[in-house]
């Protein structure tokens, strides 16, 4: 006859208490409205979560027996926001290396500080995923890392993809302190082209070797990350402001090098070039400024100017800390006030940036199989009068209104 040890009894008792302690294996989220970003809103629905994933969502979803129920009554549930232009998950002094204009060997993964206060502040604004990229002090400043805004968690729990995107800066910013080398747009264009050509040849040589069509190349550490851009595994995000540079960016990265790319900023008079970008189906990530004050005294909505001529692959950023990390919602509200359709604005904070950066299989919408990243607010998720009340990442409550930031 088997006997039950005291330790076994203790374990069984602890297991029985798990639902009461808030660790139920299945959670059921109830709310008056879910913006799933995968179709029409779900009214008076239920979303089931298990092990950090969404397992069901709909108006006809039943709550399993024993599930922990999170009933938010008349509130609205929205996917966590995604910001593709962030500089605030580590020390600002660590993200610009000014020795050489092109640095494809650098990456921000090594300078993330999980305890960084701005991570929690971003999360308080409903921003659950960010691309933490190097600065724009040089023409090619390295690779950014895709992060969940798990403030204070282990780095391994935060990282979605170590190489989120390669960061390039065109015009203006890299001209400020770059020195004699590449000090003009012509010079920086040539230096960047040379670096990209080296990376393209290097990636092609490794592909030929893998396919049995060439010798094994000599390893070049400074090109290892760049090689993944030309293998189409990692996109490029390009800091670009002004109509001239918007066209130059699309021409270089879409017409010549044909890599996955996102044109970021697109501000000042960038919308003047929007037709040329629409013809190329250029993905644009607009911000942090949402308006252009025209010469004839009008406010032109930047996002509206792009969207009206066909640039619908459109997301919005804060460029934090240029705009505070928690004000992505306000950026979209300004875009709507100046003419961007409301639905397009909400998509610009959720599913579109997720798709642009290649993680739409995990975040950006509330669908079965995706990460349970969402926030709860009292009404319109683009209305700054309705800030997030509670924010969840991977099904875990990570912020509640009133918590210290």
């Amino acid at each position: 006859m088997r006997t039950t040890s005291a330790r076994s009894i203790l374990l069984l008792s602890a297991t029985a208490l798990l639902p009461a302690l808030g660790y139920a294996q299945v959670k059921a989220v109830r709310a008056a409205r879910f913006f799933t970003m995968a179709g029409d809103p779900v009214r008076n629905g239920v979303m089931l979560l298990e092990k950090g994933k969404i397992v069901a969502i709909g108006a006809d979803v039943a709550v399993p027996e024993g599930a922990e129920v999170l009933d938010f009554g008349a509130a609205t549930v929205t996917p966590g926001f995604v910001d593709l232009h962030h500089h605030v998950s580590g020390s600002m002094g660590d993200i610009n290396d000014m020795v050489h204009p092109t640095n494809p060997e650098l990456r921000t993964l090594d300078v993330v500080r999980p305890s960084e206060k701005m991570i929690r502040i971003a999360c308080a604004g409903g921003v659950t995923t960010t691309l933490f990229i190097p600065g724009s002090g040089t023409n090619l400043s390295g690779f950014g890392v895709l992060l969940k805004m798990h403030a204070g968690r282990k780095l391994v729990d935060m990282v979605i993809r170590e190489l989120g995107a390669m960061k390039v800066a065109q015009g203006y910013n890299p001209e400020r302190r770059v020195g004699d080398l590449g000090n003009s747009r012509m010079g920086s264009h040539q230096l960047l082209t040379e670096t990209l050509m080296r990376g393209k040849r290097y990636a092609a040589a490794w592909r030929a070797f893998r396919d049995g069509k060439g010798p094994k190349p000599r390893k070049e550490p400074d090109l290892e990350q760049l090689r993944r851009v030309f293998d189409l595994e990692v996109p490029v995000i390009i800091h670009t402001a002004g109509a001239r540079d918007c066209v130059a960016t699309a021409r270089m990265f879409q017409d010549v090098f044909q890599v996955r790319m996102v044109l970021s900023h697109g501000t000042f008079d960038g919308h003047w070039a929007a037709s040329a970008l629409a013809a190329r189906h250029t993905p644009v990530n607009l911000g942090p400024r949402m308006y252009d004050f025209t010469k004839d005294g009008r406010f032109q909505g930047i996002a509206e100017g792009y969207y009206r001529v066909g640039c619908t692959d459109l997301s919005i950023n804060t460029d934090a800390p240029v705009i505070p990390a928690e004000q992505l919602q306000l950026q979209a509200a300004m875009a709507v006030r100046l003419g961007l359709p409301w639905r397009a604005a909400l998509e610009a904070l959720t599913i579109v940036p997720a798709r642009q950066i290649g993680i739409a299989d995990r975040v950006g919408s509330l669908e079965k199989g995706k990460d349970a990243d969402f926030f709860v607010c009292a009404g319109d998720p683009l209305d700054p009068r309705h800030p997030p009340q509670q924010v969840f990442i991977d099904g875990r409550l990570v912020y509640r209104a009133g918590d210290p930031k």
Side-chain angles (χ1 to χ4, degrees):
M1 178 178 177
R2 293 183 61 184
T3 59
T4 304
S5 67
R7 183 173 182 273
S8 298
I9 293 172
L10 182 62
L11 287 172
L12 289 169
S13 300
T15 302
L17 284 172
L18 287 180
L21 294 172
Y23 294 101
Q25 187 177 25
V26 176
K27 295 180 181 178
V29 178
R30 279 196 177 118
R33 182 170 58 174
F34 292 82
F35 287 113
T36 67
M37 311 316 298
D40 294 333
V42 172
R43 307 281 181 176
N44 299 313
V46 171
M47 180 169 66
L48 299 183
L49 318 178
E50 186 173 8
K51 298 179 180 178
K53 298 286 187 179
I54 299 168
V55 295
I57 182 169
D60 56 353
V61 173
V63 177
E65 185 177 351
E68 178 186 1
V69 178
L70 305 177
D71 194 335
F72 294 111
T76 297
V77 175
T78 303
F81 291 158
V82 180
D83 193 342
L84 298 185
H85 202 124
H86 248 237
H87 301 295
V88 294
S89 295
S91 167
M92 286 291 291
D94 288 329
I95 60 173
N96 274 299
D97 195 290
M98 306 298 292
V99 176
H100 193 270
T102 58
N103 300 282
E105 70 277 17
L106 302 182
R107 63 183 189 179
T108 58
L109 174 68
D110 303 308
V111 299
V112 177
R113 240 179 359 211
S115 61
E116 174 59 49
K117 182 179 180 181
M118 291 300 293
I119 294 175
R120 185 165 183 82
I121 290 175
C123 185
V127 180
T128 55
T129 300
T130 65
L131 177 64
F132 173 39
I133 52 178
S136 55
T138 57
N139 209 209
L140 195 172
S141 50
F143 284 71
V145 57
L146 275 166
L147 297 171
K148 292 284 188 81
M149 295 288 93
H150 275 303
R153 298 289 302 278
K154 294 179 180 178
L155 180 59
V156 69
D157 296 327
M158 298 173 64
V159 173
I160 299 175
R161 194 169 72 216
E162 293 185 357
L163 298 183
M166 185 172 78
K167 168 67 183 298
V168 167
Q170 298 273 63
Y172 299 116
N173 283 25
E175 295 174 354
R176 294 177 302 185
R177 293 174 51 196
V178 76
D180 293 335
L181 187 62
N183 193 37
S184 69
R185 276 178 171 79
M186 291 186 300
S188 63
H189 180 96
Q190 178 59 25
L191 286 170
L192 181 57
T193 298
E194 288 180 2
T195 301
L196 294 174
M197 286 302 300
R198 287 182 62 215
K200 183 177 181 178
R201 288 192 296 265
Y202 186 65
W206 276 103
R207 283 196 299 272
F209 170 68
R210 286 199 306 266
D211 295 341
K213 298 178 181 178
K216 184 175 182 179
R218 179 176 62 87
K219 189 171 183 178
E220 298 185 53
D222 63 323
L223 297 179
E224 277 296 303
Q225 295 183 157
L226 183 51
R227 165 182 158 193
R228 294 183 60 182
V229 169
F230 288 100
D231 285 341
L232 305 182
E233 297 174 9
V234 178
V236 186
I237 190 162
I238 307 106
H239 166 124
T240 308
R244 170 184 53 187
D245 293 324
C246 284
V247 175
T249 287
R251 185 168 56 238
M252 176 181 285
F253 289 94
Q254 290 184 284
D255 300 354
V256 177
F257 288 104
Q258 299 177 346
V259 295
R260 293 169 55 201
M261 60 82 73
V262 180
L263 189 155
S264 193
H265 288 323
T267 49
F268 304 123
D269 61 358
H271 60 280
W272 291 357
S275 294
L277 303 181
R280 292 176 167 89
H281 305 286
T282 305
V284 293
N285 173 241
L286 304 178
R289 191 173 74 167
M290 286 289 105
Y291 67 90
D292 179 32
F293 193 58
T294 66
K295 293 179 181 179
D296 58 355
R298 294 183 302 107
F299 276 97
Q300 167 66 54
I302 296 289
E304 188 275 338
Y306 279 86
Y307 193 85
R308 173 169 37 87
V309 298
C311 286
T312 55
D313 190 352
L314 181 156
S315 61
I316 292 173
N317 71 65
T318 59
D319 192 15
V322 176
I323 294 294
E326 72 274 27
Q327 289 189 12
L328 188 59
Q329 177 195 51
L330 180 59
Q331 287 284 92
M334 285 292 293
V336 172
R337 173 66 179 82
L338 294 171
L340 183 67
W342 183 91
R343 174 76 184 194
L346 187 56
E347 290 176 344
L349 305 190
T350 53
I351 190 59
V352 172
R355 190 183 301 127
Q356 288 177 337
I357 211 67
I359 54 172
D361 61 325
R362 290 190 57 179
V363 302
S365 62
L366 303 178
E367 297 180 79
K368 181 179 179 180
K370 289 197 174 185
D371 297 353
D373 296 354
F374 61 94
F375 67 86
V376 182
C377 64
D380 181 350
L382 297 186
D383 187 337
R385 295 171 298 181
H386 300 305
Q389 297 173 339
Q390 295 189 35
V391 181
F392 293 77
I393 296 178
D394 296 329
R396 298 167 61 104
L397 177 64
V398 294
Y399 173 78
R400 193 191 332 252
D403 287 351
K405 298 179 184 177

